[in-house]
Amino acid sequence: MKAIEVFAEKGYHETTVDEIADNLNVAKGTIYYHYKNKKQLYLALINEGFATLKGRVFEIVEGSGNAEEKLKRLIQVQVDFFQEYSNITFIFLREFYGNVINRHELTAILNEYLDLIAGILNEGQENGQFRPLETEVTTFMIFGAVAVSTLNYLHQPAGLTPELFLKNVIEGIFYGIKGVERQK
Amino acid sequence: MKAIEVFAEKGYHETTVDEIADNLNVAKGTIYYHYKNKKQLYLALINEGFATLKGRVFEIVEGSGNAEEKLKRLIQVQVDFFQEYSNITFIFLREFYGNVINRHELTAILNEYLDLIAGILNEGQENGQFRPLETEVTTFMIFGAVAVSTLNYLHQPAGLTPELFLKNVIEGIFYGIKGVERQK
Amino acid sequence: MKAIEVFAEKGYHETTVDEIADNLNVAKGTIYYHYKNKKQLYLALINEGFATLKGRVFEIVEGSGNAEEKLKRLIQVQVDFFQEYSNITFIFLREFYGNVINRHELTAILNEYLDLIAGILNEGQENGQFRPLETEVTTFMIFGAVAVSTLNYLHQPAGLTPELFLKNVIEGIFYGIKGVERQK
Amino acid sequence: MKAIEVFAEKGYHETTVDEIADNLNVAKGTIYYHYKNKKQLYLALINEGFATLKGRVFEIVEGSGNAEEKLKRLIQVQVDFFQEYSNITFIFLREFYGNVINRHELTAILNEYLDLIAGILNEGQENGQFRPLETEVTTFMIFGAVAVSTLNYLHQPAGLTPELFLKNVIEGIFYGIKGVERQK
DNA sequence: TATGAATGAGAGTTCATTCAT
DNA sequence: AATGAATGAACTCTCATTCAT
């Protein structure tokens, strides 16, 4: 079991450095040899995890296609990531609403990511594909909707296939619970 | 300062029972006279807070109007509540993704609330107002979108008036970033 | 359940005043109305119990019969008492070897009792019925032998009838594991 | 002062872990590094002490001589031990009649020891040296008589030399207060 | 005479951190 | 570069005792 998974399973405060050391098969002192303290270890692990997500999303942003296509792919990547690295997602949401001490560092990490989403939204509004909503609000709605629904899906799949789940999420974000495609 | 606010500000583990007692102007022993332990105090406070939200939403559900009108009002109530009781919302999101120990109790509290949302969604789908999306997925998307965007709005209002913020949230949930009203 | 039994079952320190109050069906404050503190309550209960034993033994000492007959009856009374009031016996042995604070009070209580045994032993030695052993040593040996064997008998009866158990104790004390009746 | 002596002097509950740590000249945490909790430390110390007694007695049991000679030596060893390690003896008697929680562990420790005595008694009865008394009863009588009289002797020597004290104990156990050597 | 909510000193325990090896 | 025994500050929780009613 990797260190990040231990943290994810039990939370920062309920995970001891002893447990981390046990899972890593190293002595406790070794951890302090590599990291200044428990918190720095924790932040390093989170950063590492999110770097992966940012990397994948960055490829999409820089890649080909219009805003709509990019956003679809981004949602898919995000859903996949939240499933694959559910432990990091847990940690992130938890800490984002968590103690004031870490918020600053974590907000910085998250904002870098959300800026990528915001960029796509702006691009889509400029070329008329998306409706003129406040990017700041929409970005967080998308992030919240995808994260919370995915984590719930992981907990209690409710009989849906992954494909059907993804389709529902995308449709919800693109057309809401009520809207339809514009008449061309 | 009330006990729940102390927890909200610093988080469960970083809040000591001494601090709670100081803020309540009672002796530490008094807290243990009324609550079995720190955790039970914490859960009791959360329950109390959420009971308020559930009460308000229940009025809407049982009240007049069709599903669309109800959902609009529900979102408004939820946004208002998240603003008024942002501390409880923080706590809740944090713990929901938090340690495994509390998850069971908290999930029970949350599910009661989400069932109310699900009821409205089903009603709207049955009478044709809403599109046929999976209720299970949509419910969590709405909750996540509203919670995360509202909390972010509280942190960094970004120049939006509360009315404009609410309008954006409702439009996002009803029509997504792309959909439009159906042609009658 | 009476207060003394609660103490006997769990020991002084592991019994709370709350438990005593519950068992007595009175409020905690009431106990402090009648007794100065927990310790005084405890000593009062022990005194009460031992007064019973002393009373019974005193009757024997003052009664008819020679030393041998008296000692036999005394042993029987002691065995009976230890069985009937095993809780007090437990408490007594425990405290006798227990904390230094109570030892003084309890030793006084015990000594009054042991003096009665010593008196019988002296009487028996003077009239030649008993061998000339040091009364001080013998008294404690008898007390220890009877108490420890009886408490063990209460715990694990080992298939002996009460009569057979008593017979063994008396024989052990009178003739040891090896001795026989003198030739007349 | 060793940890066991602190416990012996003040009793389990009235001895704090801080005191133990002070006497050992280590930090409190060090104790918890080596022992799970206060109770396990306590039991470990008792076990250690009794292992010494068992070792000495085992040598006798396995050694040369008939049952009578063995028992004499055993009593002497026991008296010596109770004097040398009076603190452990105190603790043991106290706890044996003490709280229910420890009884199980302590009974196990004691039984191993008493079995050694019982073995000698049986051997002596089989070869006709000892009278046919119930071993189960006699074993506990001997243990109780030796322990209680020795502890009392330690408290108030009453003018007896150690040799005279031991002689009285052995005679009491072998011939009781009344019996004599059989006619050969 | 009786109550029981409130108290607070003091206890056991945890665990991130250090440092001699 | 790695270790793990030792640390001690800080925490949760207990419970005998008090006192206003």
Side-chain angles (χ1 to χ4, degrees):
Chain A
M1 202 178 202
K2 289 161 64 185
I4 189 73
E5 291 170 13
V6 185
F7 276 129
E9 193 166 297
K10 309 185 57 176
Y12 179 77
H13 282 103
E14 308 217 344
T15 302
T16 65
V17 177
D18 275 284
E19 283 172 310
I20 300 288
D22 280 355
N23 272 285
L24 258 44
N25 280 320
V26 296
K28 184 156 45 164
T30 309
I31 289 177
Y32 284 87
Y33 184 79
H34 291 292
Y35 297 93
K36 194 178 163 237
N37 55 30
K38 187 184 177 185
K39 188 175 150 195
Q40 293 310 313
L41 161 65
Y42 186 60
L43 288 173
L45 293 173
I46 293 175
N47 242 323
E48 198 181 302
F50 250 74
T52 308
L53 177 57
K54 273 193 291 189
R56 293 190 192 176
V57 170
F58 198 70
E59 277 179 29
I60 293 169
V61 172
E62 297 292 284
S64 63
N66 59 30
E68 182 169 348
E69 289 161 351
K70 281 181 181 173
L71 188 57
K72 262 186 196 158
R73 265 181 274 141
L74 186 148
I75 292 170
Q76 179 157 14
V77 161
Q78 195 168 305
V79 166
D80 288 350
F81 179 85
F82 285 170
Q83 293 192 28
E84 195 176 342
Y85 295 90
S86 63
N87 41 34
I88 291 177
T89 312
F90 265 106
I91 285 177
F92 209 90
L93 284 170
R94 182 189 306 163
E95 289 301 322
F96 184 60
Y97 306 116
N99 62 70
V100 185
I101 301 163
N102 286 343
R103 185 133 59 225
H104 191 69
E105 285 100 327
L106 290 166
T107 302
I109 296 176
L110 184 63
N111 277 341
E112 282 183 57
Y113 172 66
L114 292 175
D115 282 349
L116 298 174
I117 304 185
I120 297 177
L121 289 177
N122 283 329
E123 185 188 327
Q125 285 184 20
E126 277 158 23
N127 69 20
Q129 286 186 302
F130 299 158
R131 298 191 304 119
L133 292 165
E134 293 290 335
T135 308
E136 176 93 9
V137 178
T138 316
T139 305
F140 279 88
M141 286 181 72
I142 292 174
F143 181 77
V146 175
V148 171
S149 60
T150 304
L151 288 175
N152 181 65
Y153 178 68
L154 289 176
H155 276 317
Q156 25 193 346
L160 292 179
T161 62
E163 292 75 26
L164 204 52
F165 169 70
L166 181 60
K167 184 171 173 296
N168 270 271
V169 172
I170 289 178
E171 279 203 17
I173 285 171
F174 274 66
Y175 302 103
I177 58 174
K178 204 170 177 302
V180 294
E181 182 82 25
R182 260 172 303 181
Q183 305 287 333
K184 297 287 162 60
Chain B
M1 201 177 199
K2 289 160 65 186
I4 188 74
E5 292 169 13
V6 185
F7 275 130
E9 191 166 298
K10 309 186 58 176
Y12 179 78
H13 282 103
E14 309 219 344
T15 302
T16 66
V17 178
D18 274 288
E19 284 173 309
I20 300 285
D22 281 353
N23 271 285
L24 259 44
N25 279 320
V26 295
K28 187 164 32 173
T30 307
I31 290 178
Y32 284 92
Y33 184 75
H34 291 290
Y35 298 92
K36 196 170 165 256
N37 54 32
K38 185 184 175 186
K39 187 177 152 194
Q40 292 308 313
L41 162 65
Y42 187 60
L43 288 172
L45 293 172
I46 292 175
N47 237 325
E48 198 181 301
F50 249 73
T52 307
L53 176 58
K54 274 192 292 189
R56 293 188 192 176
V57 170
F58 196 70
E59 276 178 31
I60 293 168
V61 171
E62 295 293 282
S64 62
N66 60 31
E68 181 169 349
E69 288 160 351
K70 281 181 181 173
L71 188 57
K72 263 187 195 156
R73 266 182 274 143
L74 187 149
I75 292 171
Q76 178 159 14
V77 160
Q78 196 168 303
V79 166
D80 288 350
F81 179 86
F82 284 169
Q83 294 192 26
E84 195 177 341
Y85 295 89
S86 62
N87 41 34
I88 291 177
T89 312
F90 263 106
I91 285 175
F92 208 90
L93 285 170
R94 181 190 305 162
E95 290 301 323
F96 185 61
Y97 304 116
N99 61 71
V100 184
I101 301 163
N102 288 345
R103 185 133 56 224
H104 190 68
E105 285 99 328
L106 291 166
T107 302
I109 296 175
L110 185 63
N111 277 342
E112 283 183 56
Y113 173 66
L114 293 175
D115 282 349
L116 297 174
I117 304 184
I120 296 177
L121 290 177
N122 284 329
E123 184 189 328
Q125 285 184 21
E126 277 160 24
N127 69 20
Q129 286 186 302
F130 299 159
R131 299 191 302 121
L133 294 164
E134 293 290 335
T135 307
E136 177 91 10
V137 178
T138 317
T139 304
F140 279 87
M141 286 180 72
I142 292 174
F143 182 77
V146 174
V148 170
S149 60
T150 304
L151 288 175
N152 182 64
Y153 178 68
L154 288 176
H155 275 317
Q156 25 192 345
L160 291 180
T161 62
E163 291 75 25
L164 204 52
F165 169 70
L166 180 60
K167 184 172 173 296
N168 268 272
V169 172
I170 289 178
E171 278 202 18
I173 286 171
F174 274 66
Y175 301 103
I177 58 174
K178 204 170 174 304
V180 295
E181 182 82 24
R182 261 172 301 182
Q183 306 287 336
K184 298 284 163 64
Chain C
M1 202 177 201
K2 289 161 64 185
I4 189 73
E5 292 170 11
V6 185
F7 275 129
E9 192 165 297
K10 310 183 58 175
Y12 178 77
H13 282 103
E14 308 218 344
T15 302
T16 65
V17 177
D18 274 283
E19 284 172 310
I20 300 288
D22 280 355
N23 272 285
L24 259 44
N25 279 320
V26 295
K28 185 158 42 166
T30 309
I31 288 177
Y32 284 88
Y33 184 78
H34 290 292
Y35 297 92
K36 194 178 161 237
N37 54 33
K38 186 185 177 186
K39 188 175 150 194
Q40 291 310 313
L41 161 65
Y42 186 60
L43 288 172
L45 293 172
I46 292 176
N47 242 322
E48 197 180 304
F50 249 74
T52 307
L53 176 57
K54 274 192 293 188
R56 293 190 191 175
V57 171
F58 198 68
E59 276 178 31
I60 293 168
V61 171
E62 296 293 284
S64 64
N66 60 29
E68 181 168 351
E69 289 159 352
K70 282 180 182 174
L71 187 56
K72 263 187 196 155
R73 265 182 273 142
L74 187 146
I75 292 170
Q76 178 158 15
V77 161
Q78 195 169 307
V79 166
D80 288 349
F81 179 85
F82 284 169
Q83 293 193 26
E84 195 177 342
Y85 295 89
S86 63
N87 40 35
I88 291 176
T89 311
F90 266 106
I91 285 176
F92 209 91
L93 283 169
R94 182 189 306 163
E95 291 301 323
F96 184 61
Y97 306 116
N99 62 71
V100 184
I101 300 164
N102 287 344
R103 185 132 58 222
H104 191 68
E105 286 100 326
L106 291 166
T107 301
I109 296 176
L110 184 63
N111 278 341
E112 283 182 57
Y113 173 66
L114 293 175
D115 282 350
L116 297 174
I117 304 184
I120 296 177
L121 289 178
N122 282 329
E123 185 188 328
Q125 286 185 20
E126 278 159 24
N127 69 21
Q129 286 187 301
F130 299 158
R131 297 194 301 121
L133 294 165
E134 294 290 333
T135 309
E136 176 91 10
V137 178
T138 317
T139 306
F140 280 88
M141 285 180 72
I142 292 174
F143 181 77
V146 175
V148 171
S149 61
T150 304
L151 288 175
N152 181 65
Y153 178 67
L154 289 177
H155 277 316
Q156 23 192 348
L160 291 182
T161 62
E163 291 74 26
L164 204 52
F165 169 70
L166 180 61
K167 182 170 175 294
N168 269 273
V169 173
I170 290 177
E171 280 204 16
I173 286 171
F174 275 65
Y175 301 103
I177 57 174
K178 204 170 175 305
V180 295
E181 182 82 24
R182 259 172 301 180
Q183 306 287 333
K184 297 286 164 60
Chain D
M1 200 177 200
K2 289 161 67 187
I4 188 75
E5 292 169 13
V6 186
F7 275 130
E9 190 166 299
K10 309 185 58 176
Y12 178 77
H13 282 103
E14 309 220 344
T15 302
T16 66
V17 177
D18 275 287
E19 284 173 309
I20 300 286
D22 281 354
N23 272 285
L24 258 45
N25 279 320
V26 295
K28 186 157 43 164
T30 306
I31 290 178
Y32 284 91
Y33 183 75
H34 291 290
Y35 299 92
K36 196 172 164 255
N37 53 33
K38 186 184 176 186
K39 186 177 152 194
Q40 293 308 315
L41 161 65
Y42 187 60
L43 288 172
L45 293 173
I46 293 175
N47 236 325
E48 198 180 302
F50 250 73
T52 307
L53 177 57
K54 273 193 292 190
R56 293 190 191 175
V57 170
F58 197 69
E59 278 179 30
I60 294 170
V61 171
E62 296 292 283
S64 62
N66 60 31
E68 180 169 349
E69 290 161 349
K70 281 180 182 173
L71 188 57
K72 263 187 197 157
R73 264 181 274 142
L74 186 149
I75 292 170
Q76 179 159 12
V77 161
Q78 194 168 305
V79 166
D80 288 349
F81 179 85
F82 286 170
Q83 293 191 27
E84 195 178 342
Y85 295 89
S86 62
N87 40 34
I88 290 176
T89 312
F90 264 106
I91 286 177
F92 209 91
L93 285 170
R94 182 191 305 161
E95 290 301 322
F96 185 59
Y97 305 115
N99 61 70
V100 184
I101 301 164
N102 287 346
R103 185 132 55 222
H104 189 69
E105 285 99 329
L106 290 167
T107 301
I109 296 175
L110 185 64
N111 277 340
E112 283 182 56
Y113 173 66
L114 293 176
D115 282 350
L116 298 174
I117 304 184
I120 296 177
L121 290 178
N122 283 329
E123 184 188 329
Q125 285 184 21
E126 278 159 24
N127 69 21
Q129 287 185 301
F130 300 158
R131 298 192 301 123
L133 294 165
E134 294 289 334
T135 308
E136 176 93 9
V137 178
T138 316
T139 305
F140 281 89
M141 285 181 71
I142 292 175
F143 181 78
V146 174
V148 171
S149 61
T150 305
L151 288 175
N152 182 65
Y153 178 68
L154 288 177
H155 277 316
Q156 23 194 344
L160 291 181
T161 62
E163 291 73 27
L164 204 53
F165 169 70
L166 180 60
K167 182 171 175 293
N168 269 273
V169 172
I170 290 178
E171 280 203 15
I173 286 170
F174 274 67
Y175 301 103
I177 57 174
K178 204 171 175 302
V180 294
E181 183 82 23
R182 259 173 302 181
Q183 307 286 336
K184 297 286 164 64

